[in-house]
Amino acid sequence: MTFQIETLAAPAVRGIAPYLPGKPLEELEREYGISNCIKLASNENPLGPGPRALAAMEQAVREIGLYPDGSGFALKQALAKKHDCAMECITLGNGSNDVLVMLAEAFLTGGCAPELKRGPEGIPGETGGHASARGTPRETPATEAVYSQYAFAVYPIAVQATGATARVAPANPANHAMPLGHDLDAMAQLVNERTRLVFIANPNNPTGTWLSAEALRKFIAGVPAQTLVVVDEAYIEYVTDPAFPNASRWLQDFPNLVVVRTFSKAYGLAGLRVGYALSHAGVADMLNRVRQPFNVNSVALAAARAALEDDQHLQRTLNTNRTGLAQLQAGFDVLGIRHLPSAGNFVLIDCGRPAAPVYETMLRQGVIVRPVGNYQLPDHLRITIGTQAQNERMLSALNTALSS
Ligand SMILES: Cc1ncc(COP(=O)(O)O)c(C=O)c1O
């Protein structure tokens, strides 16, 4: 008997190109037999977690024999205070990645299966494609999601897994003030009556580019009520411009707005996996229907709550990033490397030649950065801002790689 997994998997899943994570440090050290490597590949916080989060983790580990609080009450309470919203407007995720997938699961549908309509009597349990359902089968077209070319790689994966249709808007050209960034007019043109989700990362990964408050607000206001606009603010803590849009302040104005945040970046908790969505309570209700019970573990819940109270660590992180960004930009200029503007904790550079050999040569020097060929940017590398010493080492490795 032949076992053909390709024919068993859902058709939508077969076509997915798996997410390519940054190379782990241990893997590089094992493969190349080197040590003291540094990783500037996954936009993690080079300072790691703060002391308050660490203390909370140590305490929470003692209780690990018990299930976590599946409602995430204490963390949600702290987040509700931070964002001045009701706890019912918050959905916690195992990283913000989890929240993005929940959004796709809750609001997107594939179009292949005919929908069987509930009969006039509304018999419970007889809706949604069951063979026993009464009524006339009707073809349901796939719903759609819109995002920009070069938007965060998880959006296509989350959308495709549902069988929904992805509409990808062309990005800004390379000579734009926000090169390769989101073109909101192009995105607006793709929104139609079947569009359920629009994903906008602001700032965007991997480009580092961003949208103005005026442009973003105008876009959201122009989107019809049946389309949710997901503004992914994974990097917003790093933003230094006071005029930068904080979409979480607009939730009262737009019931179809969803704002996604994470503890993986500025809060230094990437390994724990905690993120959340802020939305209308009705949207959160839908997300919670697909959320796995206990999706956020108890150590993560405790650490995230403590991290919110550690303003000193956050400020240290932001200072490190601000000076590191200036250091990298100056270093790239010295090396004559084109770099994109960035409001996050990483910079996208254009090597002006295939980036794969540059990446390889940097690896051999113990420096991991991120190739972005999977984004169809084969000449670019995305480099996370590290500590001063890490940045220096990375610049030196890059210089060697470009001169070889
Ligand atoms: C724009 C954006 N959104 C979401 C995420 C997911 O982060 P996490 O699942 O760690 O919260 C990332 C991670 O790199 C990101 O760059």
Side-chain angles (χ1 to χ4, degrees), residues 19 42 94-97 100 152 155 201 203 205 232 234-235 262 264-265 273-275:
Y19 181 79
S42 300
N94 188 251
S96 58
N97 196 135
L100 296 169
F152 180 46
Y155 308 154
N205 169 24
D232 180 346
Y235 300 96
T262 183
S264 297
K265 310 296 176 183
R273 319 298 304 125
V274 204

Side-chain angles (χ1 to χ4, degrees), residues 21-264:
K23 195 175 187 68
L25 276 170
E26 297 76 17
E27 191 178 299
L28 176 66
E29 299 189 347
R30 197 172 58 238
E31 283 177 2
Y32 287 65
I34 50 180
S35 54
N36 277 328
C37 298
I38 58 169
K39 181 180 175 216
L40 300 175
S42 300
N43 301 343
E44 293 140 336
N45 183 339
L47 306 183
R52 289 199 184 203
L54 277 173
M57 284 183 238
E58 277 161 22
Q59 188 61 37
V61 158
R62 295 168 209 269
E63 307 288 324
I64 208 79
L66 302 175
Y67 280 104
D69 171 3
S71 74
F73 184 88
L75 177 57
K76 277 194 189 172
Q77 196 175 43
L79 289 170
K81 194 164 155 228
K82 173 181 163 72
H83 293 289
D84 191 22
C85 68
M87 283 168 64
E88 291 69 33
C89 298
I90 301 169
T91 309
L92 299 180
N94 188 251
S96 58
N97 196 135
D98 189 26
V99 175
L100 296 169
V101 171
M102 279 187 243
L103 279 160
E105 281 181 352
F107 293 101
L108 296 177
T109 45
C112 34
E115 186 187 20
L116 297 176
K117 282 284 166 202
R118 182 184 281 252
E121 305 91 335
I123 297 170
E126 290 199 350
T127 58
H130 292 291
S132 61
R134 298 183 180 183
T136 322
R138 265 208 341 213
E139 205 53 57
T140 26
T143 53
E144 300 185 4
V146 172
Y147 49 84
S148 178
Q149 187 186 11
Y150 314 126
F152 180 46
V154 162
Y155 308 154
I157 295 175
V159 172
Q160 280 178 45
T162 66
T165 304
R167 300 267 176 225
V168 187
N172 291 333
N175 61 358
H176 192 277
M178 287 293 150
L180 315 182
H182 294 11
D183 175 345
L184 289 180
D185 290 337
M187 293 178 73
Q189 278 180 24
L190 296 181
V191 174
N192 61 39
E193 70 286 354
R194 290 183 301 280
T195 313
R196 290 290 164 274
L197 295 176
V198 178
F199 290 101
I200 299 176
N202 198 38
N204 182 45
N205 169 24
T207 57
T209 50
W210 62 96
L211 297 160
S212 73
E214 194 193 355
L216 183 58
R217 204 179 154 98
K218 188 171 150 229
F219 176 87
I220 299 168
V223 162
Q226 78 269 10
T227 300
L228 297 183
V229 181
V230 181
V231 179
D232 180 346
E233 297 186 333
Y235 300 96
I236 197 163
E237 291 84 3
Y238 292 106
V239 168
T240 49
D241 179 359
F244 193 93
N246 175 346
S248 72
R249 302 215 180 102
W250 301 343
L251 287 161
Q252 298 288 345
D253 305 333
F254 303 111
N256 58 337
L257 171 63
V258 182
V259 176
V260 176
R261 297 279 186 107
T262 183
F263 285 91
S264 297

